[in-house]
Amino acid sequence: MFPSSGDYCQVMTPRHIPGLVDLGLDARLARMVLEALGLEPSAELTDLVAGGLSALEVALTSGHDELFEDFLGFQTARLSALKVSHVDTRDVAHAIGRQVAAQGASPGAVEDLVDRCLARRAGDEDTHGVGPTPLCPLARAYLGRVLAVDREQARELVASALSDGTDLGDILVDVLEAAQREVGRLWELGEISVAQEHYCTAVTQMVMADLYPYLFTGRDRRRHLVAVHAPGSLHEVGLRMVVDLLEHEGWGTTYLGAASSVEDLLANVAEQHADIVAISASMPGQVSAVRSMIGHLRADPRSAHARIIVGGRPFLVAPALGKAVGADGTASDARSTVALCERLVGAHDAAH
């Protein structure tokens, strides 16, 4: 019998399976899984299986099955996109489980978790249970231009919408954020290449730079947010959109990226008298780093006052994980993140 997710998170203090580091960082283990399945250990398949090892490990140690269940949806889509049809996705999941067990996890616990996740996904072939991203007409037009490798026309569409009175926040959320979400889905399904995905992201970053002069509203910036990625996170656009939208809403912000040390983070929070710290993680294997960063922020007198929010894929699929790592809240997109920041600051003001 497994304890509930909340209880399991409270009593399972090791950040990883005892004696192990993040299994997803060890490509050798991923190649061993592929070889056992009779699959060529290409770079893409090695990365895929490494992600599965990491997701399963974190799901075991946190009690959040959703992390591995989410990976299974991703695995199904990517194996199909890579035209790996001669191996059953269930066999891949169990092979990942056997490798995790071989590294010190309880074989029974691993098998039970894998079976639970497979049972919940039975008959669900849709990617992560989500269909095409709903796009407004402007977002659809923008994405069409980007996919046609016409960056100047894509930029002109956004500039014209801004000139015509479209709210900058709506452009960030309903156009750029929505288009990026659809780009990720298309890549996952193999409908666009990784090179196309990178191009789309680069164009969106260029458009965000175009919008930068329009962010500042002249409002008194009494509130400040410091934003940082967990080490190893490669997806920066989402957090940058949060930062830009907060700037547009009258906040001061400091974006530190993924390369900052913990000491740099603490120093920036103290220097800026930050009200909120936002931490983003893109993969389950980064959850332990998020927990560690929050621990340092809570323990240091210079930063203990700040409220902490977390976001990114792991916290989207397992919302209760945010509380488990010590955060004050989680949000699913840029607009809801702004609302969360306002709510947390308002609650703090009311209490003082």
Side-chain angles (χ1 to χ4, degrees), residues 220-243:
D220 182 19
R221 297 177 182 277
R222 293 178 299 162
R223 303 301 184 190
H224 200 94
L225 173 137
V226 172
V228 65
H229 293 277
S233 182
L234 301 177
H235 298 163
E236 67 174 44
V237 173
L239 188 57
R240 288 300 298 266
M241 286 182 180
V242 168
V243 168

Side-chain angles (χ1 to χ4, degrees), residues 66-88:
E66 307 100 301
L67 297 172
F68 191 63
E69 186 178 345
D70 183 63
F71 166 77
L72 292 178
F74 178 71
Q75 170 191 274
T76 299
R78 289 305 294 157
L79 289 176
S80 175
L82 296 171
K83 309 227 176 333
V84 180
S85 57
H86 57 288
V87 175
D88 189 281

Side-chain angles (χ1 to χ4, degrees), residues 3-53:
S4 70
S5 296
D7 292 338
Y8 196 62
C9 288
Q10 291 172 8
V11 301
M12 197 66 181
T13 54
R15 296 192 328 200
H16 297 289
I17 296 167
L20 297 179
V21 297
D22 180 2
L23 299 182
L25 298 178
D26 193 337
R28 177 183 59 87
L29 297 181
R31 289 193 292 268
M32 289 171 64
V33 171
L34 292 169
E35 289 165 5
L37 291 164
L39 295 174
E40 185 68 26
S42 66
E44 287 181 306
L45 284 177
T46 299
D47 286 346
L48 176 64
V49 171
L53 291 166

Side-chain angles (χ1 to χ4, degrees), residues 142 146 150-156 158-159 172 176 180 198-213 236-237 240-241 244:
Y142 169 79
V146 174
D150 190 348
R151 70 182 183 191
E152 293 309 317
Q153 185 60 35
R155 295 170 72 185
E156 180 58 32
V158 173
L172 284 170
L176 301 183
Q180 281 300 119
H198 287 171
Y199 176 81
C200 293
T201 300
V203 174
T204 293
Q205 290 173 315
M206 188 178 298
V207 172
M208 290 173 66
D210 292 342
L211 296 175
Y212 191 75
E236 67 174 44
V237 173
R240 288 300 298 266
M241 286 182 180
D244 286 357

Side-chain angles (χ1 to χ4, degrees), residues 76-134:
T76 299
R78 289 305 294 157
L79 289 176
S80 175
L82 296 171
K83 309 227 176 333
V84 180
S85 57
H86 57 288
V87 175
D88 189 281
T89 56
R90 297 176 61 89
D91 293 336
V92 179
H94 282 295
I96 289 172
R98 286 191 294 273
Q99 186 60 250
V100 172
Q103 304 308 312
S106 163
V110 171
E111 185 176 1
D112 286 347
L113 191 154
V114 171
D115 285 343
R116 285 198 305 274
C117 292
L118 286 169
R120 282 195 288 267
R121 283 204 56 83
D124 183 4
E125 297 302 323
D126 197 6
T127 309
H128 293 106
V130 177
T133 307

Side-chain angles (χ1 to χ4, degrees), residues 27-348:
R28 177 183 59 87
L29 297 181
R31 289 193 292 268
M32 289 171 64
V33 171
L34 292 169
E35 289 165 5
L37 291 164
L39 295 174
E40 185 68 26
S42 66
E44 287 181 306
L45 284 177
T46 299
D47 286 346
L48 176 64
V49 171
L53 291 166
S54 181
L56 181 53
E57 179 195 5
V58 179
L60 279 167
T61 57
S62 70
H64 288 280
D65 290 11
E66 307 100 301
L67 297 172
F68 191 63
E69 186 178 345
D70 183 63
F71 166 77
L72 292 178
F74 178 71
Q75 170 191 274
T76 299
R78 289 305 294 157
L79 289 176
S80 175
L82 296 171
K83 309 227 176 333
V84 180
S85 57
H86 57 288
V87 175
D88 189 281
T89 56
R90 297 176 61 89
D91 293 336
V92 179
H94 282 295
I96 289 172
R98 286 191 294 273
Q99 186 60 250
V100 172
Q103 304 308 312
S106 163
V110 171
E111 185 176 1
D112 286 347
L113 191 154
V114 171
D115 285 343
R116 285 198 305 274
C117 292
L118 286 169
R120 282 195 288 267
R121 283 204 56 83
D124 183 4
E125 297 302 323
D126 197 6
T127 309
H128 293 106
V130 177
T133 307
L135 298 176
C136 68
L138 178 57
R140 193 174 301 111
Y142 169 79
L143 181 58
R145 291 296 86 214
V146 174
L147 291 174
V149 198
D150 190 348
R151 70 182 183 191
E152 293 309 317
Q153 185 60 35
R155 295 170 72 185
E156 180 58 32
L157 282 170
V158 173
S160 295
L162 195 63
S163 296
D164 291 342
T166 303
D167 180 70
L168 186 144
D170 291 341
I171 289 175
L172 284 170
V173 176
D174 298 328
V175 178
L176 301 183
E177 185 177 42
Q180 281 300 119
R181 191 178 298 117
E182 180 64 2
V183 164
R185 192 188 74 90
L186 292 173
W187 169 79
E188 187 175 306
L189 294 175
E191 296 183 19
I192 63 173
S193 68
V194 68
Q196 288 173 295
E197 186 273 333
H198 287 171
Y199 176 81
C200 293
T201 300
V203 174
T204 293
Q205 290 173 315
M206 188 178 298
V207 172
M208 290 173 66
D210 292 342
L211 296 175
Y212 191 75
Y214 302 95
L215 294 177
F216 306 102
T217 60
R219 281 182 267 183
D220 182 19
R221 297 177 182 277
R222 293 178 299 162
R223 303 301 184 190
H224 200 94
L225 173 137
V226 172
V228 65
H229 293 277
S233 182
L234 301 177
H235 298 163
E236 67 174 44
V237 173
L239 188 57
R240 288 300 298 266
M241 286 182 180
V242 168
V243 168
D244 286 357
L245 189 56
L246 280 164
E247 287 278 358
H248 181 58
E249 294 297 324
W251 284 63
T253 65
T254 302
Y255 176 76
L256 297 179
S260 297
S261 67
V262 170
E263 180 53 40
D264 285 341
L265 172 60
L266 298 175
N268 270 278
V269 172
E271 181 181 347
Q272 302 295 338
H273 304 287
D275 302 278
I276 303 280
V277 178
I279 306 175
S280 176
S282 56
M283 302 288 287
Q286 296 157 6
V287 169
S288 63
V290 173
R291 186 197 303 270
S292 177
M293 293 164 77
I294 292 175
H296 284 290
L297 286 163
R298 300 292 193 203
D300 195 303
R302 296 174 297 170
S303 56
H305 66 280
R307 299 302 182 100
I308 302 170
I309 61 175
V310 293
R313 188 74 193 180
F315 302 103
L316 178 64
V317 301
L321 190 60
K323 184 176 181 180
V325 299
D328 295 302
T330 63
S332 58
D333 56 30
R335 189 172 280 130
S336 62
T337 301
V338 172
L340 175 62
C341 289
E342 297 286 1
R343 188 165 64 251
L344 287 174
V345 169
H348 181 270

